[in-house]
Amino acid sequence: MTASSSRAIDPICGMTVDPSSALSAEQQGKTYYFCCAGCRDRFLTAFASRSSPELVQLGNSPSRSCCHSEDHSASPPPPDSTAAYYCPMCPGVESNQPGDCPVCGMALEPKVVRGAVSPDPERQSLTRRFRVSLVLAIPVFVLSMGPMMGIPVDHWIGQARSHWWQFLLSTPVVLWGGWPFFVRALRSIRTGHLNMFTLIGLGTAAAYLFSLCSYFFPGWVPAAFHEHQAAPLYFEAASTIITLVLLGQVLELRAREKTGDAIRALYALAPETALRVTPTGVTAVPLEQVQVGDRLRVVPGDRVPVDGIVLSGSSAVDESMLTGESVPVTRREGDKVIGGTVNQSGSFEMRAEHVGSQTMLARIVMMVSEAQRSRAPIQRLADTISGIFVPVVIAVSLLAFVGWTIWGPAESRLAHALVSAVSVLIIACPCALGLATPMSIMVGMGRGAQSGVLIRNAAALETLERVDTVVVDKTGTLTEGRPRLVKIAPAAGFSEEEILQSTAAVEALSEHPLAFAFLSAAGERQLSLPEADQFESVTGQGIAGTVRQQRILIGTATFLENQGVEKTGQAQFQSEEERRQGATVVHVAIDGREAGWLAVRDVIKTSTPAAIERLHQAGIRILMLTGDHPQTAQVVADQLKIDSVQAQVSPAEKLDVIKELRRSGHCVAMAGDGMNDAPALAAADVGIAMGTGTDVAIETAGVTLVQGDLRGIEQSLRLSRATMRNIRQNLFFAFAYNAVGVPLAAGVLYPLTGTLLSPMLAAAAMSLSSVSVIANALRLRNFDLSA
């Protein structure tokens, strides 16, 4: 095999790959190409142990542990970042080009759904084959079944001519229309990965080849196969089965395309151009040319091009497509704006902060795409059954054939045996089992993204359904996270300006939400901030820094005491009064002396009370863990009717509380937005990050709420329950369909009804089964998260 070849075959799984972009390895002077790293590693291992790669390919290796193995319980190999396509049913199957999955045979999905919907070549090809096959199969069906329906076709054209036309018209349907199915069936047998196309290929091949033998060599057909004293023909069965399966595949591909509608809707939010402000004026430039730091003009009616900060002007911005919140929000100087949102009423200038793949919109699309490819634990049941399903169906088909051969009607027992065996092969549908979970996951994740609920993976989505306890931080989660300075109490020898100036200078180096209050207050008083250095942070207690060669300590009273700062009783009494009114008090020391304290208040988010009430209605217990003072925390807890509150807890103590709740049998979701919440977010069954919080919190959590309020928690719980209910419906339908369909096709009702299930009806039922599963999953697109 040389690199100049237009196509190459992976020697492990049999997938067709492009040599110019595929992974490769050389052995004994020959170059081999692979669809993924897993296949290449197994190939090299086979050579190292002096085993033949051809034997590995045919499944004769004892381990059969390549990346396409049907042992789905094993962990899949790391994904290939260069691969553009994957199989939603088979973990580890990836390719850098479109094609068929070598395990299940279904068409590979693009890893990332793009904004523009390009024609799917797979669907176009199958649609063309279906249309031609339908035109040819209808007359075959009429010629064969017409006499049974009172249409004297044999009398009109003669039986011999009727048989000739059945053969002539059905042959292109089977050989050309069904060619993709036979290719997949042969590959499945060659690689040992039996799938739906194995069954279709065996069933239609049996019907067509038997018909050929009956038509051209009727003397070779034993009398036990005869019906009405003649060798029967099943050309109409073979051609109709192929046509119906083609129809099912076309409908399935169309339905699967709709699972990406949510992501395509997100892509459509990004404008094509932006208005760049330059010294010479305003110029429209393509979006991809916008760089960090560019000044951009956003006029009424336009979409915000990228993420950034408002420099001047103000406007009402509609963020509903990203956050699910229908009420426009006011954005003014200093506020953040998100790319893709709609500027409604005013005009403003902004500075680009995140562009390209770093914008929130791009990160949301990537996060949802990755989440849609993840696998829920409930999928393991379907994987286990699918791994043995096809061999069992083939065994049932053989048993049906043998059973009818022995116990069938003496005059046509072999004819009945053939019909039953083919019907069993055709009606079985392992794809319905395989699609039940991933289709619901894909649609559910997309629906959540449209409402600003981003779920990192399917395991988090499944776990959310079992959550009975929600642990929340206070600042930035229950409250706005943008507290305002309400009082400065300087100690003797210090002024308000000196305390605020030193505090703001050090806080400028901090990510804590309280820092905004001090910086805003300093800006309002037009205080110049000196440069601070030697910054230190003690998580959950306070910060320290040096300003004008003076050591500044900022934090809790305990923090200052631990640093050797003595406190006065009067200051302690006054600060307690502020805390009783719900303020957060921050103590300041300068060069080892208590300089005073500052009181800030953080307003409770307007959406928080209703969100807490709805969580209680859903049977969820709510626990607040905060590093704030107990009195301040209790004021907030009383206002919101929170079940339990623990204050002045460090990140390590938050972690311990989460672990203890889990040990006691609770399924815990932790909601937070700060860096100090990251350990607890990681330790909870499900971590929920506020989209307005720090990157560390967002990266640690399993769920991110773009809008940044607790309503998203209740919405994520509702989404989880709806998606898991949908998955169980799909699995039940798939299991029930196969459990009922296979025995019916085998003829279990023949003693009662005297009739057998036609292979054509079996094909119709099989085609509709996968489509029904996908159609049920697509119902999640219209699920109301706000109800």
Side-chain angles (χ1 to χ4, degrees):
M1 179 76 61
T2 64
S4 62
S5 302
S6 59
R7 311 293 273 181
I9 301 297
D10 186 322
I12 298 299
C13 67
M15 177 179 284
T16 302
V17 297
D18 182 0
S20 63
S21 55
L23 299 174
S24 64
E26 288 197 19
Q27 290 292 339
Q28 300 177 355
K30 185 178 181 180
T31 303
Y32 297 87
Y33 298 92
F34 307 90
C35 69
C36 66
C39 280
R40 182 176 64 179
D41 291 345
R42 185 172 179 192
F43 177 87
L44 294 175
T45 302
F47 254 111
S49 60
R50 292 184 173 84
S51 66
S52 167
E54 283 75 20
L55 292 180
V56 176
Q57 172 190 333
L58 292 172
N60 294 331
S61 173
S63 62
R64 289 189 65 197
S65 58
C66 82
C67 68
H68 304 317
S69 169
E70 292 186 18
D71 180 15
H72 300 319
S73 62
S75 298
D80 179 5
S81 60
T82 64
Y85 297 87
Y86 80 108
C87 177
M89 286 175 55
C90 307
V93 176
E94 296 183 348
S95 175
N96 51 15
Q97 60 187 8
D100 303 328
C101 174
V103 178
C104 66
M106 71 184 298
L108 298 177
E109 295 275 359
K111 271 190 172 182
V112 178
V113 178
R114 300 300 177 186
V117 183
S118 57
D120 179 8
E122 171 82 4
R123 182 164 64 86
Q124 286 182 325
S125 173
L126 292 180
T127 300
R128 185 168 54 252
R129 293 175 189 271
F130 164 70
R131 289 172 177 170
V132 174
S133 297
L134 179 64
V135 171
L136 298 177
I138 290 177
V140 175
F141 182 86
V142 172
L143 289 171
S144 175
M145 307 302 293
M148 302 180 187
M149 297 184 294
I151 303 176
V153 178
D154 290 351
H155 177 72
W156 292 343
I157 64 174
Q159 189 179 65
R161 189 169 296 175
S162 173
H163 290 175
W164 165 253
W165 278 109
Q166 289 180 46
F167 159 72
L168 194 64
L169 295 174
S170 65
T171 296
V173 175
V174 175
L175 300 185
W176 179 75
W179 179 254
F181 306 148
F182 292 119
V183 170
R184 297 176 189 181
L186 288 173
R187 183 173 59 196
S188 71
I189 295 172
R190 182 170 57 84
T191 60
H193 299 300
L194 306 183
N195 54 47
M196 179 186 77
F197 298 101
T198 314
L199 304 178
I200 295 172
L202 289 175
T204 53
Y208 181 73
L209 293 176
F210 179 84
S211 300
L212 285 181
C213 185
S214 296
Y215 181 66
F216 288 104
F217 310 102
W220 293 6
V221 179
F225 275 110
H226 289 189
E227 288 182 318
H228 310 293
Q229 291 79 46
L233 300 179
Y234 297 108
F235 287 125
E236 90 289 347
S239 59
T240 305
I241 288 171
I242 292 294
T243 304
L244 289 172
V245 174
L246 282 169
L247 174 61
Q249 290 291 292
V250 171
L251 294 176
E252 179 181 323
L253 288 171
R254 284 184 178 178
R256 282 166 56 187
E257 285 180 1
K258 294 181 181 179
T259 60
D261 283 353
I263 293 183
R264 278 187 281 270
L266 290 173
Y267 262 115
L269 298 180
E272 296 182 358
T273 60
L275 298 177
R276 179 189 287 162
V277 180
T278 65
T280 59
V282 179
T283 306
V285 297
L287 187 63
E288 56 269 19
Q289 292 184 12
V290 175
Q291 298 179 356
V292 174
D294 283 353
R295 293 175 66 95
L296 305 173
R297 166 70 64 180
V298 184
V299 298
D302 278 4
R303 291 191 180 274
V304 178
V306 295
D307 298 354
I309 303 292
V310 177
L311 298 177
S312 64
S314 64
S315 178
V317 179
D318 180 4
E319 300 181 347
S320 60
M321 286 302 292
L322 283 177
T323 66
E325 176 57 57
S326 58
V327 179
V329 293
T330 301
R331 297 298 183 215
R332 53 178 61 90
E333 184 178 344
D335 289 341
K336 294 181 179 180
V337 285
I338 304 171
T341 56
V342 180
N343 179 30
Q344 289 195 330
S345 58
S347 175
F348 61 87
E349 284 191 15
M350 60 174 286
R351 181 178 65 249
E353 296 285 326
H354 300 287
V355 301
S357 62
Q358 299 305 310
T359 65
M360 178 177 287
L361 180 60
R363 291 168 64 189
I364 288 173
V365 170
M366 186 57 63
M367 184 183 295
V368 175
S369 296
E370 292 176 354
Q372 288 181 335
R373 298 196 301 270
S374 62
R375 298 168 67 79
I378 196 174
Q379 177 70 16
R380 294 172 185 164
L381 175 62
D383 287 344
T384 301
I385 295 177
S386 296
I388 61 173
F389 183 83
V390 176
V392 168
V393 170
I394 294 175
V396 172
S397 176
L398 292 174
L399 288 175
F401 185 88
V402 172
W404 279 101
T405 301
I406 298 174
W407 294 294
E411 65 279 6
S412 58
R413 60 182 57 170
L414 289 183
H416 284 69
L418 181 62
V419 169
S420 296
V422 170
S423 296
V424 169
L425 292 173
I426 296 300
I427 201 170
C429 189
C431 277
L433 288 173
L435 290 170
T437 297
M439 290 300 106
S440 297
I441 292 294
M442 291 176 71
V443 181
M445 297 283 194
R447 179 65 190 91
Q450 290 179 315
S451 294
V453 178
L454 308 181
I455 301 176
R456 184 172 296 275
N457 53 52
L461 182 68
E462 182 171 339
T463 305
L464 275 169
E465 184 191 32
R466 299 185 284 106
V467 167
D468 58 23
T469 302
V470 173
V471 178
V472 295
D473 180 40
K474 180 179 76 70
T475 305
T477 302
L478 299 176
T479 62
E480 292 287 350
R482 300 180 64 174
R484 304 293 297 177
L485 180 64
V486 295
K487 186 174 183 178
I488 303 177
F494 296 92
S495 67
E496 290 189 11
E497 287 74 13
E498 182 182 4
I499 294 175
L500 178 57
Q501 191 176 49
S502 298
T503 300
V506 178
E507 290 284 1
L509 304 177
S510 170
E511 289 187 349
H512 196 280
L514 292 181
F516 176 82
F518 304 125
L519 292 171
S520 297
E524 291 170 0
R525 300 191 185 197
Q526 298 182 346
L527 298 177
S528 61
L529 299 184
E531 185 176 352
D533 55 16
Q534 299 182 26
F535 177 81
E536 297 177 13
S537 174
V538 180
T539 305
Q541 297 185 41
I543 60 175
T546 300
V547 178
R548 298 192 185 106
Q549 298 182 347
Q550 292 180 316
R551 189 64 172 166
I552 311 298
L553 301 175
I554 307 167
T556 63
T558 302
F559 174 65
L560 267 61
E561 290 173 2
N562 291 340
Q563 300 293 323
V565 178
E566 294 184 3
K567 290 186 61 63
T568 64
Q570 183 64 25
Q572 180 71 20
F573 172 77
Q574 292 176 347
S575 63
E576 291 296 332
E577 285 295 319
E578 289 293 332
R579 289 193 183 96
R580 275 193 285 272
Q581 297 177 26
T584 297
V585 176
V586 177
H587 296 267
V588 181
I590 300 178
D591 271 350
R593 295 173 54 203
E594 181 184 21
W597 50 263
L598 305 95
V600 296
R601 282 198 180 91
D602 191 6
V603 179
I604 294 175
K605 294 178 181 178
T606 56
S607 60
T608 298
I612 295 292
E613 182 179 356
R614 297 194 67 165
L615 287 172
H616 278 146
Q617 291 174 352
I620 304 297
R621 176 173 173 259
I622 303 173
L623 169 64
M624 182 171 76
L625 299 180
T626 178
D628 212 339
H629 193 276
Q631 289 182 343
T632 304
Q634 193 61 53
V635 170
V636 174
D638 291 342
Q639 291 179 12
L640 297 176
K641 300 179 181 179
I642 289 176
D643 300 303
S644 179
V645 59
Q646 295 184 35
Q648 287 187 328
V649 290
S650 66
E653 290 170 333
K654 285 185 180 182
L655 185 61
D656 292 338
V657 172
I658 296 292
K659 290 181 178 179
E660 180 58 33
L661 286 170
R662 296 187 64 188
R663 278 195 294 267
S664 61
H666 293 286
C667 186
V668 182
M670 166 68 190
D673 74 328
M675 185 180 299
N676 61 334
D677 296 320
L681 289 172
D685 292 285
V686 181
I688 302 176
M690 301 293 124
T692 51
T694 63
D695 288 343
V696 174
I698 293 173
E699 291 299 323
T700 306
V703 178
T704 298
L705 307 179
V706 175
Q707 191 172 341
D709 67 50
L710 290 189
R711 286 178 299 182
I713 297 180
E714 193 266 340
Q715 290 177 340
S716 65
L717 294 175
R718 284 172 47 79
L719 177 65
S720 170
R721 292 169 180 173
T723 304
M724 295 308 299
R725 182 167 60 248
N726 191 272
I727 287 174
R728 293 188 181 98
Q729 291 169 352
N730 282 347
L731 287 174
F732 172 80
F733 176 82
F735 283 129
Y737 162 80
N738 285 293
V740 173
V742 171
L744 285 178
V748 69
L749 293 182
Y750 182 82
L752 299 176
T753 63
T755 58
L756 289 175
L757 182 67
S758 166
M760 293 179 289
L761 292 178
M766 184 278 297
S767 297
L768 290 175
S769 61
S770 293
V771 176
S772 299
V773 164
I774 298 175
N776 187 52
L778 289 175
R779 292 192 306 113
L780 288 171
R781 294 188 304 171
N782 301 319
F783 181 72
D784 186 3
L785 289 179
S786 61

